[in-house]
Amino acid sequence: MTKPEFRVLPNAAEIASAVAAHIAQTLKAKPATTLGLATGNTFVPIYAALIDLYRQNGFSFAEAASFNLDEYVGLPKNHPASFRAYMRQRLFDHVDLPAERAMLPETEGDLAADCAAYEAAIAARGGIDLQLLGIGRNGHIGFNEPGSPFDSRTRVVELAQSTIEANKGDFPPGELPPSSAVTMGIGTIVDAREIVLVATGANKAAALTRAFNAPKDVDCPASALQDHPHVIIYCDPAALPA
């Protein structure tokens, strides 16, 4: 079991600044960095802080590439709750990352072939250098729900009801999130050279405890990170594991 490095900061605003600085430093050190990106409320202030640094500090995304963790199956690409729309609004439209290298899983057509192509595209870039992650209350990472194999690759998954409920607020009133998504697999995630996991609030403490202070268990997908040699966790005091 590899112990992650915890960087504990007082609140979400300070965490956002620290994670943005971490990403910016990575891009300065290696302009052709391949980023693994995440969505969700946790990352809204992080991307805002990253855009601010981009405008101020003279680093560039022009040689970089990004691969998002996941996308819903069945949503039009321009749907306001799609992760494509989220990424355009929160990051892509504000930095110089080339559109052809800002990649998300395809969710229409031959999904099995598209998943294999996504894995191949990551491999063609030499793998992911820095993977951003959140953690669900049930320990999911990406959309890898409890029970996901630790060696899983990009694939179609059915979403847990708790995940659907947690994401309802991102959709127009009366519209439920889709019941399935395409996600990077746990095996894909742990192949990244560095993992930066962000968690805030007391409602994430139990998941972090199961992930890092208990034996590995497929019922807590994030516990697969115990095998990774370079995990950094940015969290507030409330989220610290017991």
Side-chain angles (χ1 to χ4, degrees), residues 8-207:
V8 184
L9 294 163
N11 53 54
E14 292 197 32
I15 289 169
S17 295
V19 175
H22 189 130
I23 298 166
Q25 188 57 46
T26 299
L27 285 162
K28 288 178 182 179
K30 182 183 178 182
T33 289
T34 301
L35 298 169
L37 299 180
T39 55
N41 292 332
T42 299
F43 295 95
V44 171
I46 292 171
Y47 292 140
L50 185 59
I51 291 165
D52 286 344
L53 288 178
Y54 165 76
R55 290 170 175 165
Q56 297 165 14
N57 287 355
F59 68 92
S60 175
F61 292 80
E63 297 180 44
S66 68
F67 292 86
N68 264 72
L69 281 167
D70 40 33
E71 179 61 287
Y72 292 110
V73 170
L75 281 190
K77 290 184 178 180
N78 62 352
H79 190 287
S82 73
F83 295 146
R84 282 175 173 78
Y86 174 108
M87 292 305 305
R88 287 195 300 268
Q89 294 163 11
R90 304 296 186 185
L91 183 65
F92 295 159
D93 287 351
H94 308 283
V95 299
D96 61 347
L97 179 65
E100 68 274 13
R101 295 206 300 272
M103 287 166 276
L104 288 91
E106 291 293 332
T107 58
E108 300 173 348
D110 186 341
L111 295 186
D114 289 338
C115 291
Y118 203 64
E119 289 281 335
I122 293 171
R125 280 287 299 187
I128 290 171
D129 295 301
L130 188 159
Q131 176 68 58
L132 289 179
L133 285 181
I135 185 170
R137 295 184 192 185
N138 63 1
H140 73 245
I141 49 176
F143 272 142
N144 293 284
E145 300 284 12
S148 296
F150 285 170
D151 62 354
S152 55
R153 312 305 295 192
T154 301
R155 68 204 190 286
V156 179
V157 295
E158 295 300 312
L159 301 180
Q161 190 59 38
S162 61
T163 300
I164 293 170
E165 290 293 326
N167 291 350
K168 278 200 308 187
D170 298 330
F171 284 75
E175 184 177 349
L176 288 174
S179 61
S180 61
V182 173
T183 186
M184 284 187 196
I186 296 175
T188 314
I189 291 168
V190 299
D191 278 350
R193 294 175 183 86
E194 178 181 32
I195 291 173
V196 172
L197 189 152
V198 186
T200 59
N203 61 357
K204 298 299 176 73

